[in-house]
Amino acid sequence: MTYHFSKVVDASFEAEIAQVTESLKQEGMGVLTEIDVQTAFKKKLDIEFRQYKILGACHPQIAYQMLQTDDKAGVLYPLQCRGAGTRRWQRRSLSS
């Protein structure tokens, strides 16, 4: 089962964070959370790790409609977009 989409991009890490954030915005989505995994691992575990950010994105209207249909559907939100310092972006999907 494939649980993500992946795309290799030719841009700097920070430029791609900005591009993904803008692309999400153009689709009516907003970034609710941004987790800097590299910084968190250094702070909490004193471990060096590559650049890696997790963006938690949500489309408010779709989220509202989904939760009106099934209040337990919130476990699927927010949409997770991951940027790893390897120029690879991934997005979680529940499709096989």
Side-chain angles (χ1 to χ4, degrees):
M1 178 172 117
T2 301
Y3 60 92
H4 67 87
F5 298 104
S6 207
K7 181 174 184 171
V8 176
V9 295
D10 188 21
S12 73
F13 186 77
E14 291 305 323
E16 199 53 36
I17 294 277
Q19 177 60 45
V20 168
T21 301
E22 181 58 31
S23 294
L24 290 167
K25 184 178 179 182
Q26 289 175 9
E27 295 297 323
M29 301 177 80
V31 174
L32 302 174
T33 60
E34 183 175 320
I35 301 168
D36 184 336
V37 175
Q38 181 183 46
T39 299
F41 282 176
K42 182 63 178 170
K43 181 178 178 181
K44 302 288 185 177
L45 304 173
D46 197 28
I47 293 173
E48 299 294 331
F49 196 73
R50 69 185 182 279
Q51 287 181 306
Y52 195 106
K53 287 194 179 179
I54 301 171
L55 305 178
C58 179
H59 188 290
Q61 187 62 41
I62 293 172
Y64 175 73
Q65 291 171 352
M66 194 169 82
L67 291 171
Q68 290 297 314
T69 302
D70 181 355
D71 66 345
K72 295 174 189 58
V75 300
L76 302 174
Y77 270 85
L79 170 73
Q80 301 292 314
C81 298
R82 293 167 181 79
T86 58
R87 295 183 178 185
R88 179 176 297 276
W89 273 89
Q90 297 177 336
R91 183 176 67 118
R92 178 186 67 196
S93 169
L94 297 179
S95 63
S96 53

